[in-house]
Amino acid sequence: MPLISVVIPARNERKCLRETVLSIVSISGNQHPFEIIVVDDASSDGGCNDLQLFQSRVRLTVIQERTRLGIGRARNRGVLAAKGDILFITDAHMTFPWNWTDIVARNVQSNWILAATIADVASSWRGFGCSLVVPYMGTSWNIKRQRMPHPVQIASSAGTILERNLFHKIGGYDVGMITYGAAEPEFSLRAWLSGAEIISVPELELRHRFQKQVDATRFLNRHRSILMHNNIRFGLLYLSRASSLQMLRHYAMKFPRNMRKALKLIEAGDVWERRASLQKNLVHDFAWFINKFDLTDQIGLPIL
């Protein structure tokens, strides 16, 4: 039975993190060994202090970072410390189903990434992986349940499962993504272009505590420039010149106050070197992805 490594990045998530770990270790239907890797991303709330309670019940590793990594880098850090052949990458505010290890072991394959179903704890809403929105370079949830094996464009950031070897083949999460945003969509697109597949798993349902709308809006406004940088970086890595110009125009018109800072961050990064490397090494290009999923832009027009 292969070991499953659950990787959880967390920043100032003390209460939710404790509940998430409790849901993982308290279930009774698991027949497969697992461990938990928590990456404390420079929290200021003592977020991992309560996890000592679980040391006697599960193999638990806590990595405490003094400087901020951001979501993508924190996930990469957790994977480096993981011992399992199967990776389960999730968030710090989740509730796992009682038989999650059995579902993972039954469905994991060497070239598949499993996209868990994300369920809202406060409603009947369900998300079955995501679709890419171009040229905004964001995502929209798939809300229609499909029978396996149903491919989805983007994995669920709170439930991405794959073999360790495939993670390393894809290259992990893009370290050029700052703090929040675009890490999972970019990783998922690169997975498809590397020759992997992303498959929705309806029965693997994780309950997620979403932010209230007012809190989500406040969060987006506070981190707007960084989020824009990440989405623009994502687009510049893969889009054609024409689509890249559409993307830049979209952001300049919608968020003019944040555009200068976002572009300065782009200029300070390695986006063009990274793009050249991807073009050289990936199995497919973005045109292949467009054709595979019959992708149109965010208003239903052909992608340039």
mmCIF file with all atom_site columns, all heavy atoms in Angstrom, residues 142-160:
data_model
loop_
_atom_site.group_PDB
_atom_site.id
_atom_site.type_symbol
_atom_site.label_atom_id
_atom_site.label_alt_id
_atom_site.label_comp_id
_atom_site.label_asym_id
_atom_site.label_entity_id
_atom_site.label_seq_id
_atom_site.pdbx_PDB_ins_code
_atom_site.Cartn_x
_atom_site.Cartn_y
_atom_site.Cartn_z
_atom_site.occupancy
_atom_site.B_iso_or_equiv
_atom_site.pdbx_formal_charge
_atom_site.auth_seq_id
_atom_site.auth_comp_id
_atom_site.auth_asym_id
_atom_site.auth_atom_id
_atom_site.pdbx_PDB_model_num
ATOM 1   N N   . ASN A 1 142 ? -16.534 24.223 -12.622 1.00 0.00 ? 142 ASN A N   1
ATOM 2   C CA  . ASN A 1 142 ? -17.441 23.319 -13.320 1.00 0.00 ? 142 ASN A CA  1
ATOM 3   C C   . ASN A 1 142 ? -18.485 22.834 -12.308 1.00 0.00 ? 142 ASN A C   1
ATOM 4   O O   . ASN A 1 142 ? -18.124 22.212 -11.309 1.00 0.00 ? 142 ASN A O   1
ATOM 5   C CB  . ASN A 1 142 ? -16.685 22.109 -13.883 1.00 0.00 ? 142 ASN A CB  1
ATOM 6   C CG  . ASN A 1 142 ? -15.567 22.506 -14.812 1.00 0.00 ? 142 ASN A CG  1
ATOM 7   O OD1 . ASN A 1 142 ? -15.697 23.448 -15.579 1.00 0.00 ? 142 ASN A OD1 1
ATOM 8   N ND2 . ASN A 1 142 ? -14.449 21.800 -14.741 1.00 0.00 ? 142 ASN A ND2 1
ATOM 9   N N   . ILE A 1 143 ? -19.737 23.128 -12.553 1.00 0.00 ? 143 ILE A N   1
ATOM 10  C CA  . ILE A 1 143 ? -20.770 22.792 -11.567 1.00 0.00 ? 143 ILE A CA  1
ATOM 11  C C   . ILE A 1 143 ? -21.637 21.611 -12.014 1.00 0.00 ? 143 ILE A C   1
ATOM 12  O O   . ILE A 1 143 ? -22.560 21.222 -11.302 1.00 0.00 ? 143 ILE A O   1
ATOM 13  C CB  . ILE A 1 143 ? -21.658 24.008 -11.260 1.00 0.00 ? 143 ILE A CB  1
ATOM 14  C CG1 . ILE A 1 143 ? -22.332 24.530 -12.528 1.00 0.00 ? 143 ILE A CG1 1
ATOM 15  C CG2 . ILE A 1 143 ? -20.843 25.104 -10.596 1.00 0.00 ? 143 ILE A CG2 1
ATOM 16  C CD1 . ILE A 1 143 ? -23.336 25.642 -12.258 1.00 0.00 ? 143 ILE A CD1 1
ATOM 17  N N   . LYS A 1 144 ? -21.330 21.039 -13.165 1.00 0.00 ? 144 LYS A N   1
ATOM 18  C CA  . LYS A 1 144 ? -22.073 19.875 -13.641 1.00 0.00 ? 144 LYS A CA  1
ATOM 19  C C   . LYS A 1 144 ? -21.292 18.609 -13.336 1.00 0.00 ? 144 LYS A C   1
ATOM 20  O O   . LYS A 1 144 ? -20.144 18.465 -13.742 1.00 0.00 ? 144 LYS A O   1
ATOM 21  C CB  . LYS A 1 144 ? -22.339 19.978 -15.148 1.00 0.00 ? 144 LYS A CB  1
ATOM 22  C CG  . LYS A 1 144 ? -23.178 18.824 -15.693 1.00 0.00 ? 144 LYS A CG  1
ATOM 23  C CD  . LYS A 1 144 ? -23.463 19.009 -17.186 1.00 0.00 ? 144 LYS A CD  1
ATOM 24  C CE  . LYS A 1 144 ? -24.301 17.857 -17.715 1.00 0.00 ? 144 LYS A CE  1
ATOM 25  N NZ  . LYS A 1 144 ? -24.572 18.009 -19.171 1.00 0.00 ? 144 LYS A NZ  1
ATOM 26  N N   . ARG A 1 145 ? -21.907 17.699 -12.642 1.00 0.00 ? 145 ARG A N   1
ATOM 27  C CA  . ARG A 1 145 ? -21.275 16.429 -12.298 1.00 0.00 ? 145 ARG A CA  1
ATOM 28  C C   . ARG A 1 145 ? -21.199 15.534 -13.529 1.00 0.00 ? 145 ARG A C   1
ATOM 29  O O   . ARG A 1 145 ? -22.195 15.374 -14.244 1.00 0.00 ? 145 ARG A O   1
ATOM 30  C CB  . ARG A 1 145 ? -22.065 15.733 -11.183 1.00 0.00 ? 145 ARG A CB  1
ATOM 31  C CG  . ARG A 1 145 ? -21.463 14.418 -10.687 1.00 0.00 ? 145 ARG A CG  1
ATOM 32  C CD  . ARG A 1 145 ? -22.405 13.745 -9.717  1.00 0.00 ? 145 ARG A CD  1
ATOM 33  N NE  . ARG A 1 145 ? -21.854 12.517 -9.188  1.00 0.00 ? 145 ARG A NE  1
ATOM 34  C CZ  . ARG A 1 145 ? -21.339 12.377 -7.980  1.00 0.00 ? 145 ARG A CZ  1
ATOM 35  N NH1 . ARG A 1 145 ? -21.350 13.402 -7.149  1.00 0.00 ? 145 ARG A NH1 1
ATOM 36  N NH2 . ARG A 1 145 ? -20.847 11.221 -7.564  1.00 0.00 ? 145 ARG A NH2 1
ATOM 37  N N   . GLN A 1 146 ? -20.030 14.954 -13.773 1.00 0.00 ? 146 GLN A N   1
ATOM 38  C CA  . GLN A 1 146 ? -19.824 14.064 -14.916 1.00 0.00 ? 146 GLN A CA  1
ATOM 39  C C   . GLN A 1 146 ? -19.325 12.713 -14.417 1.00 0.00 ? 146 GLN A C   1
ATOM 40  O O   . GLN A 1 146 ? -18.699 12.610 -13.364 1.00 0.00 ? 146 GLN A O   1
ATOM 41  C CB  . GLN A 1 146 ? -18.800 14.663 -15.882 1.00 0.00 ? 146 GLN A CB  1
ATOM 42  C CG  . GLN A 1 146 ? -19.151 16.037 -16.404 1.00 0.00 ? 146 GLN A CG  1
ATOM 43  C CD  . GLN A 1 146 ? -20.164 15.990 -17.530 1.00 0.00 ? 146 GLN A CD  1
ATOM 44  O OE1 . GLN A 1 146 ? -20.597 14.930 -17.962 1.00 0.00 ? 146 GLN A OE1 1
ATOM 45  N NE2 . GLN A 1 146 ? -20.547 17.161 -18.028 1.00 0.00 ? 146 GLN A NE2 1
ATOM 46  N N   . ARG A 1 147 ? -19.565 11.691 -15.195 1.00 0.00 ? 147 ARG A N   1
ATOM 47  C CA  . ARG A 1 147 ? -19.095 10.355 -14.833 1.00 0.00 ? 147 ARG A CA  1
ATOM 48  C C   . ARG A 1 147 ? -17.615 10.229 -15.170 1.00 0.00 ? 147 ARG A C   1
ATOM 49  O O   . ARG A 1 147 ? -17.132 10.765 -16.158 1.00 0.00 ? 147 ARG A O   1
ATOM 50  C CB  . ARG A 1 147 ? -19.897 9.286  -15.573 1.00 0.00 ? 147 ARG A CB  1
ATOM 51  C CG  . ARG A 1 147 ? -21.384 9.338  -15.275 1.00 0.00 ? 147 ARG A CG  1
ATOM 52  C CD  . ARG A 1 147 ? -22.160 8.303  -16.057 1.00 0.00 ? 147 ARG A CD  1
ATOM 53  N NE  . ARG A 1 147 ? -21.839 6.946  -15.666 1.00 0.00 ? 147 ARG A NE  1
ATOM 54  C CZ  . ARG A 1 147 ? -22.433 5.863  -16.189 1.00 0.00 ? 147 ARG A CZ  1
ATOM 55  N NH1 . ARG A 1 147 ? -23.359 6.000  -17.132 1.00 0.00 ? 147 ARG A NH1 1
ATOM 56  N NH2 . ARG A 1 147 ? -22.096 4.659  -15.770 1.00 0.00 ? 147 ARG A NH2 1
ATOM 57  N N   . MET A 1 148 ? -16.889 9.521  -14.331 1.00 0.00 ? 148 MET A N   1
ATOM 58  C CA  . MET A 1 148 ? -15.470 9.279  -14.603 1.00 0.00 ? 148 MET A CA  1
ATOM 59  C C   . MET A 1 148 ? -15.317 8.339  -15.801 1.00 0.00 ? 148 MET A C   1
ATOM 60  O O   . MET A 1 148 ? -16.178 7.491  -16.048 1.00 0.00 ? 148 MET A O   1
ATOM 61  C CB  . MET A 1 148 ? -14.793 8.655  -13.387 1.00 0.00 ? 148 MET A CB  1
ATOM 62  C CG  . MET A 1 148 ? -14.478 9.629  -12.260 1.00 0.00 ? 148 MET A CG  1
ATOM 63  S SD  . MET A 1 148 ? -13.405 8.874  -11.034 1.00 0.00 ? 148 MET A SD  1
ATOM 64  C CE  . MET A 1 148 ? -11.863 8.753  -11.949 1.00 0.00 ? 148 MET A CE  1
ATOM 65  N N   . PRO A 1 149 ? -14.185 8.483  -16.518 1.00 0.00 ? 149 PRO A N   1
ATOM 66  C CA  . PRO A 1 149 ? -13.123 9.488  -16.362 1.00 0.00 ? 149 PRO A CA  1
ATOM 67  C C   . PRO A 1 149 ? -13.420 10.734 -17.201 1.00 0.00 ? 149 PRO A C   1
ATOM 68  O O   . PRO A 1 149 ? -13.329 10.691 -18.425 1.00 0.00 ? 149 PRO A O   1
ATOM 69  C CB  . PRO A 1 149 ? -11.885 8.766  -16.894 1.00 0.00 ? 149 PRO A CB  1
ATOM 70  C CG  . PRO A 1 149 ? -12.421 7.824  -17.932 1.00 0.00 ? 149 PRO A CG  1
ATOM 71  C CD  . PRO A 1 149 ? -13.817 7.448  -17.504 1.00 0.00 ? 149 PRO A CD  1
ATOM 72  N N   . HIS A 1 150 ? -13.791 11.801 -16.549 1.00 0.00 ? 150 HIS A N   1
ATOM 73  C CA  . HIS A 1 150 ? -14.121 13.036 -17.254 1.00 0.00 ? 150 HIS A CA  1
ATOM 74  C C   . HIS A 1 150 ? -12.982 14.042 -17.086 1.00 0.00 ? 150 HIS A C   1
ATOM 75  O O   . HIS A 1 150 ? -12.658 14.426 -15.963 1.00 0.00 ? 150 HIS A O   1
ATOM 76  C CB  . HIS A 1 150 ? -15.413 13.631 -16.700 1.00 0.00 ? 150 HIS A CB  1
ATOM 77  C CG  . HIS A 1 150 ? -15.829 14.887 -17.399 1.00 0.00 ? 150 HIS A CG  1
ATOM 78  N ND1 . HIS A 1 150 ? -16.333 14.893 -18.690 1.00 0.00 ? 150 HIS A ND1 1
ATOM 79  C CD2 . HIS A 1 150 ? -15.786 16.184 -17.005 1.00 0.00 ? 150 HIS A CD2 1
ATOM 80  C CE1 . HIS A 1 150 ? -16.596 16.134 -19.048 1.00 0.00 ? 150 HIS A CE1 1
ATOM 81  N NE2 . HIS A 1 150 ? -16.280 16.938 -18.054 1.00 0.00 ? 150 HIS A NE2 1
ATOM 82  N N   . PRO A 1 151 ? -12.352 14.463 -18.200 1.00 0.00 ? 151 PRO A N   1
ATOM 83  C CA  . PRO A 1 151 ? -11.241 15.404 -18.078 1.00 0.00 ? 151 PRO A CA  1
ATOM 84  C C   . PRO A 1 151 ? -11.726 16.812 -17.743 1.00 0.00 ? 151 PRO A C   1
ATOM 85  O O   . PRO A 1 151 ? -12.777 17.242 -18.205 1.00 0.00 ? 151 PRO A O   1
ATOM 86  C CB  . PRO A 1 151 ? -10.598 15.363 -19.478 1.00 0.00 ? 151 PRO A CB  1
ATOM 87  C CG  . PRO A 1 151 ? -11.721 14.976 -20.390 1.00 0.00 ? 151 PRO A CG  1
ATOM 88  C CD  . PRO A 1 151 ? -12.602 14.060 -19.600 1.00 0.00 ? 151 PRO A CD  1
ATOM 89  N N   . VAL A 1 152 ? -10.963 17.506 -16.944 1.00 0.00 ? 152 VAL A N   1
ATOM 90  C CA  . VAL A 1 152 ? -11.222 18.919 -16.640 1.00 0.00 ? 152 VAL A CA  1
ATOM 91  C C   . VAL A 1 152 ? -9.943  19.698 -16.911 1.00 0.00 ? 152 VAL A C   1
ATOM 92  O O   . VAL A 1 152 ? -8.841  19.158 -16.831 1.00 0.00 ? 152 VAL A O   1
ATOM 93  C CB  . VAL A 1 152 ? -11.689 19.129 -15.191 1.00 0.00 ? 152 VAL A CB  1
ATOM 94  C CG1 . VAL A 1 152 ? -13.056 18.513 -14.976 1.00 0.00 ? 152 VAL A CG1 1
ATOM 95  C CG2 . VAL A 1 152 ? -10.677 18.584 -14.192 1.00 0.00 ? 152 VAL A CG2 1
ATOM 96  N N   . GLN A 1 153 ? -10.107 20.966 -17.222 1.00 0.00 ? 153 GLN A N   1
ATOM 97  C CA  . GLN A 1 153 ? -8.952  21.760 -17.624 1.00 0.00 ? 153 GLN A CA  1
ATOM 98  C C   . GLN A 1 153 ? -8.034  22.098 -16.453 1.00 0.00 ? 153 GLN A C   1
ATOM 99  O O   . GLN A 1 153 ? -6.812  22.069 -16.575 1.00 0.00 ? 153 GLN A O   1
ATOM 100 C CB  . GLN A 1 153 ? -9.428  23.053 -18.294 1.00 0.00 ? 153 GLN A CB  1
ATOM 101 C CG  . GLN A 1 153 ? -10.225 22.820 -19.569 1.00 0.00 ? 153 GLN A CG  1
ATOM 102 C CD  . GLN A 1 153 ? -10.871 24.087 -20.079 1.00 0.00 ? 153 GLN A CD  1
ATOM 103 O OE1 . GLN A 1 153 ? -10.412 25.188 -19.798 1.00 0.00 ? 153 GLN A OE1 1
ATOM 104 N NE2 . GLN A 1 153 ? -11.955 23.949 -20.824 1.00 0.00 ? 153 GLN A NE2 1
ATOM 105 N N   . ILE A 1 154 ? -8.640  22.443 -15.319 1.00 0.00 ? 154 ILE A N   1
ATOM 106 C CA  . ILE A 1 154 ? -7.877  22.910 -14.165 1.00 0.00 ? 154 ILE A CA  1
ATOM 107 C C   . ILE A 1 154 ? -8.262  22.100 -12.941 1.00 0.00 ? 154 ILE A C   1
ATOM 108 O O   . ILE A 1 154 ? -9.451  21.889 -12.674 1.00 0.00 ? 154 ILE A O   1
ATOM 109 C CB  . ILE A 1 154 ? -8.144  24.409 -13.885 1.00 0.00 ? 154 ILE A CB  1
ATOM 110 C CG1 . ILE A 1 154 ? -7.940  25.248 -15.145 1.00 0.00 ? 154 ILE A CG1 1
ATOM 111 C CG2 . ILE A 1 154 ? -7.265  24.903 -12.744 1.00 0.00 ? 154 ILE A CG2 1
ATOM 112 C CD1 . ILE A 1 154 ? -6.542  25.263 -15.703 1.00 0.00 ? 154 ILE A CD1 1
ATOM 113 N N   . ALA A 1 155 ? -7.264  21.648 -12.185 1.00 0.00 ? 155 ALA A N   1
ATOM 114 C CA  . ALA A 1 155 ? -7.536  20.874 -10.976 1.00 0.00 ? 155 ALA A CA  1
ATOM 115 C C   . ALA A 1 155 ? -8.128  21.762 -9.884  1.00 0.00 ? 155 ALA A C   1
ATOM 116 O O   . ALA A 1 155 ? -8.131  22.989 -9.993  1.00 0.00 ? 155 ALA A O   1
ATOM 117 C CB  . ALA A 1 155 ? -6.245  20.212 -10.482 1.00 0.00 ? 155 ALA A CB  1
ATOM 118 N N   . SER A 1 156 ? -8.609  21.135 -8.829  1.00 0.00 ? 156 SER A N   1
ATOM 119 C CA  . SER A 1 156 ? -9.171  21.868 -7.699  1.00 0.00 ? 156 SER A CA  1
ATOM 120 C C   . SER A 1 156 ? -8.031  22.242 -6.758  1.00 0.00 ? 156 SER A C   1
ATOM 121 O O   . SER A 1 156 ? -7.364  21.354 -6.228  1.00 0.00 ? 156 SER A O   1
ATOM 122 C CB  . SER A 1 156 ? -10.197 21.006 -6.963  1.00 0.00 ? 156 SER A CB  1
ATOM 123 O OG  . SER A 1 156 ? -11.155 20.488 -7.859  1.00 0.00 ? 156 SER A OG  1
ATOM 124 N N   . SER A 1 157 ? -7.803  23.528 -6.541  1.00 0.00 ? 157 SER A N   1
ATOM 125 C CA  . SER A 1 157 ? -6.650  23.942 -5.744  1.00 0.00 ? 157 SER A CA  1
ATOM 126 C C   . SER A 1 157 ? -6.709  23.412 -4.318  1.00 0.00 ? 157 SER A C   1
ATOM 127 O O   . SER A 1 157 ? -5.685  23.286 -3.657  1.00 0.00 ? 157 SER A O   1
ATOM 128 C CB  . SER A 1 157 ? -6.541  25.470 -5.730  1.00 0.00 ? 157 SER A CB  1
ATOM 129 O OG  . SER A 1 157 ? -7.677  26.054 -5.139  1.00 0.00 ? 157 SER A OG  1
ATOM 130 N N   . ALA A 1 158 ? -7.891  23.093 -3.826  1.00 0.00 ? 158 ALA A N   1
ATOM 131 C CA  . ALA A 1 158 ? -8.024  22.550 -2.481  1.00 0.00 ? 158 ALA A CA  1
ATOM 132 C C   . ALA A 1 158 ? -8.027  21.030 -2.473  1.00 0.00 ? 158 ALA A C   1
ATOM 133 O O   . ALA A 1 158 ? -8.192  20.417 -1.420  1.00 0.00 ? 158 ALA A O   1
ATOM 134 C CB  . ALA A 1 158 ? -9.302  23.068 -1.824  1.00 0.00 ? 158 ALA A CB  1
ATOM 135 N N   . GLY A 1 159 ? -7.825  20.407 -3.641  1.00 0.00 ? 159 GLY A N   1
ATOM 136 C CA  . GLY A 1 159 ? -7.814  18.957 -3.719  1.00 0.00 ? 159 GLY A CA  1
ATOM 137 C C   . GLY A 1 159 ? -7.179  18.471 -5.008  1.00 0.00 ? 159 GLY A C   1
ATOM 138 O O   . GLY A 1 159 ? -7.876  18.096 -5.942  1.00 0.00 ? 159 GLY A O   1
ATOM 139 N N   . THR A 1 160 ? -5.846  18.485 -5.054  1.00 0.00 ? 160 THR A N   1
ATOM 140 C CA  . THR A 1 160 ? -5.086  18.055 -6.232  1.00 0.00 ? 160 THR A CA  1
ATOM 141 C C   . THR A 1 160 ? -4.271  16.834 -5.837  1.00 0.00 ? 160 THR A C   1
ATOM 142 O O   . THR A 1 160 ? -3.441  16.916 -4.919  1.00 0.00 ? 160 THR A O   1
ATOM 143 C CB  . THR A 1 160 ? -4.159  19.181 -6.724  1.00 0.00 ? 160 THR A CB  1
ATOM 144 O OG1 . THR A 1 160 ? -4.946  20.299 -7.127  1.00 0.00 ? 160 THR A OG1 1
ATOM 145 C CG2 . THR A 1 160 ? -3.311  18.724 -7.897  1.00 0.00 ? 160 THR A CG2 1
#
